[in-house]
Amino acid sequence: MGPARPVGPSQGAWAVLVLAVVGAGAGAGSIVFRWCIRTFTLLLSGHSDYAAAPGAANPHVPWLGPYFVLLAPVVGGLLHGPLVNRFAKEARGHGVPEVMLAVAQRGGRISPKVAVVKTLASALTIGSGGSVGREGPIVQIGSALGSTLGRLTGAAEGRLKLLVACGAAGGIAATFNAPLAGVFFAMELILGTFSAEAFGATVLASVTASVIGRAAFGDNAFLDLPGFHVGHLSQYALFALLGVVAAAVGVGFTRVLYLVEDACDRLWRGPEWLRPAVGGLALGLVLLALPQMYGVGYPVLQRATEGGYAAGFLLLLLAGKMLATSLTIGIGGSGGVFAPSLFIGAMLGSAYGIGVHRLLPGSAGAMGAYALVGMGAVFAGAARAPITAVVILFELTGEYSIILPLMLAVVLATATGRLLSRDTVYTLKLRRRGIDLEGPAPGAPLGAQRVGTVMEPLPAPLPVAMPLKEATDLLSRSSHGALPVVAASGEYLGVVTAQAVAEALAEQPDAAPATVGQLAEPPAAVLADQPLAQALHTLLTAAGGGLPVLDAERGRPVGWLSHQGALRAVHATA
């Protein structure tokens, strides 16, 4: 988005007003959304949250006993299937990928119809037994409100994207009573970048939405957990191992989600509007076998953190949630995957805690701590959003005492998840449709060409043993502000920038490195066969005036990509 431009008092006040309105709209949207969920759940199950009384009969149709769960998803599908198919097909699924796509490639434009359709479709899905969460819908609802207000006020594209992120932040903040988590969710997952401007804007929207949400729902922690305390240093090793295992489970959840969706796509040959109703029969069978899967399932999650289930049943609930959530999305339901990932993590963590208690009864610590850490680690492994995972678990529970083990497990889960899978639970949905968020938008003039077709000749590299004084002369005469460095054998070592040399000589001239090799650092790789639009993301964060372009096979520099060269490519294709 670039640096913020100075604005006058009236412009600043107008910007604050717009952000506050976006936050207020997201807060109000969350109230309406949660009311709709509760209303449809009461109508279709006879309980405010059927997961709190699994297996009970529906008082509206007591003669059906627990078998009413076979029909509830069918009725819900008959209602939300035609609604989504007729008015807003993008409201199907878990919502966050569509918002990420709108910000990355559509200038932040989201149809205002999405807010209304997503509210009704997701509430009907959850109320009729769909085993999905409410964070994806509220992100899409808040983002649609922000996008609509931005277009009504004539906001430029950069501001429009920011308003979309503010709507997402406000929705998360109000729904979960987690204002900080809303901010970091918006920046880490929606915008994909951090800046002072984005932070200030999302904070204002998030705070406004939180005030409205707390007025409606109260200022209470999301989960009521006992105090945890890490009494033995050896517990950190146990939490670290849990982080690695949770990453594998998070990636596994992602794979199961899309495998089931593929299976549903292959099996269904009828009209799309009827798919949720017919598929609801299969979901009803799952709910009949495991009624704990009905809806979001927070009461079950709460009980698991309190040690209310045996280890074997916890693993059954884990597998059941994967299947129920995947089936809900696969048959055309609407809802998020964040809450299911927390549910899966809580089941995994609780079962893990029971296991370590049996092996190490004297040093394992509280079992609930493993459930909490498992929640954050599974989400981090699936979504690879470590900051959001740490902050949101802290805010949802109010437990600061577990922050260190949580941070350790989340970071390890994020790193392990990256090793196991290129994509996250959000980006994989888009890549399966041929969409790369780091690539060009379909039909965009920029991005079809490869870096190798627009790169400039490679400037003469500096030998690793060249003294700094000689290098300063060459760097000062170079138009790039940075030059590659090679070893005596010709091996590429990295890049040295004029700024790095100047700082080394100015700060400690007597103790400064004697050669450029001691200042050379390998920048992020840009490959000759890489799409230009994807390389631009790397170029924008590069120090100096560009980056060396590497050969994909040998990893050696074959050219130079500069900002001027990229602009010339834009001009040539415009």
Side-chain angles (χ1 to χ4, degrees):
M1 291 176 58
R5 293 177 295 176
V7 294
S10 60
Q11 291 175 300
W14 174 249
V16 169
L17 178 61
V18 171
L19 292 171
V21 171
V22 170
S30 72
I31 295 173
V32 173
F33 181 49
R34 287 181 62 170
W35 178 84
C36 287
I37 292 175
R38 181 180 175 85
T39 300
F40 291 137
T41 304
L42 280 169
L43 286 174
L44 294 169
S45 75
H47 301 266
S48 59
D49 192 337
Y50 187 70
N58 184 340
H60 302 315
V61 284
W63 48 274
L64 281 175
Y67 292 94
F68 82 92
V69 295
L70 292 172
L71 300 178
V74 176
V75 175
L78 285 173
L79 294 172
H80 71 75
L83 177 70
V84 170
N85 194 66
R86 172 66 177 83
F87 295 103
K89 293 182 179 179
E90 60 267 43
R92 174 185 168 183
H94 46 103
V96 175
E98 286 73 19
V99 177
M100 295 168 69
L101 177 62
V103 169
Q105 296 186 356
R106 295 177 180 170
R109 292 181 294 275
I110 302 174
S111 171
K113 294 186 299 184
V114 172
V116 177
V117 176
K118 191 71 175 180
T119 298
L120 295 173
S122 297
L124 281 165
T125 298
I126 296 171
S128 62
S131 193
V132 286
R134 59 191 185 214
E135 96 295 333
I138 196 58
V139 164
Q140 202 169 8
I141 292 165
S143 296
L145 292 172
S147 177
T148 301
L149 182 60
R151 282 185 288 172
L152 288 175
T153 57
E157 182 175 305
R159 298 291 177 184
L160 187 60
K161 292 179 179 180
L162 185 56
L163 288 173
V164 168
C166 289
I172 290 287
T175 301
F176 295 105
N177 188 20
L180 272 178
V183 170
F184 286 107
F185 185 97
M187 291 197 294
E188 196 170 23
L189 288 171
I190 304 302
L191 289 177
T193 185
F194 292 83
S195 68
E197 180 186 19
F199 182 78
T202 52
V203 163
L204 181 56
S206 184
V207 168
T208 305
S210 291
V211 170
I212 293 174
R214 289 179 180 182
F217 309 126
D219 185 12
N220 301 311
F222 182 70
L223 294 173
D224 183 19
L225 300 176
F228 299 132
H229 177 67
V230 180
H232 299 273
L233 291 179
S234 60
Q235 287 179 239
Y236 284 98
L238 297 173
F239 286 119
L241 178 59
L242 176 58
V244 174
V245 175
V249 172
V251 173
F253 171 49
T254 302
R255 300 281 171 82
V256 170
L257 178 68
Y258 293 110
L259 282 173
V260 172
E261 188 171 0
D262 286 342
C264 292
D265 289 340
R266 287 193 300 267
L267 292 172
W268 180 247
R269 291 293 180 268
E272 281 300 309
W273 65 267
L274 191 58
R275 177 169 167 170
V278 176
L281 290 171
L283 178 60
L285 290 173
V286 175
L287 297 178
L288 185 63
L290 271 179
Q292 291 85 356
M293 299 298 104
Y294 197 106
V296 183
Y298 289 135
V300 181
L301 189 155
Q302 173 81 47
R303 185 175 175 185
T305 61
E306 296 170 350
Y309 299 116
F313 189 63
L314 288 167
L315 296 177
L316 177 62
L317 291 174
L318 185 156
K321 194 66 172 182
M322 283 191 181
L323 176 60
T325 299
S326 302
L327 192 56
T328 303
I329 298 294
I331 64 176
S334 177
V337 296
F338 168 69
S341 70
L342 293 187
F343 186 103
I344 292 167
M347 302 307 118
L348 172 69
S350 295
Y352 181 89
I354 293 173
V356 297
H357 259 272
R358 290 175 180 172
L359 293 174
L360 303 167
S363 59
M367 284 189 293
Y370 295 97
L372 177 57
V373 170
M375 290 161 64
V378 168
F379 172 69
R384 295 210 274 291
I387 300 175
T388 302
V390 171
V391 173
I392 202 165
L393 262 295
F394 168 61
E395 286 195 291
L396 292 186
T397 62
E399 280 296 328
Y400 182 77
S401 58
I402 203 67
I403 197 74
L404 291 180
L406 179 62
M407 290 170 64
L408 174 64
V410 161
V411 168
L412 289 174
T414 302
T416 306
R418 186 173 286 112
L419 290 174
L420 294 175
S421 175
R422 175 186 178 186
D423 286 295
T424 71
V425 69
Y426 297 126
T427 61
L428 184 56
K429 178 178 181 180
L430 299 174
R431 193 176 299 280
R432 283 157 45 86
R433 288 157 48 187
I435 299 171
D436 184 356
L437 291 180
E438 296 182 348
L446 174 64
Q449 61 272 71
R450 300 292 169 176
V451 172
T453 65
V454 302
M455 68 183 183
E456 303 170 12
L458 182 71
L462 303 178
V464 66
M466 175 175 283
L468 284 188
K469 289 188 178 180
E470 294 183 29
T472 55
D473 182 54
L474 293 174
L475 284 166
S476 65
R477 287 188 276 116
S478 171
S479 60
H480 301 300
L483 291 172
V485 178
V486 295
S489 61
E491 179 186 1
Y492 168 66
L493 299 177
V495 168
V496 65
T497 65
Q499 180 182 357
V501 172
E503 289 177 352
L505 292 172
E507 292 178 4
Q508 293 180 328
D510 297 331
T515 64
V516 295
Q518 293 170 272
L519 292 179
E521 295 183 0
V526 171
L527 304 179
D529 60 354
Q530 190 174 9
L532 177 58
Q534 185 176 350
L536 285 178
H537 291 271
T538 307
L539 182 63
L540 289 173
T541 60
L547 289 169
V549 179
L550 306 182
D551 177 74
E553 296 181 359
R554 296 177 298 170
R556 293 187 176 183
V558 294
W560 192 267
L561 179 64
S562 66
H563 298 84
Q564 294 89 341
L567 286 173
R568 282 194 294 270
V570 174
H571 178 72
T573 55

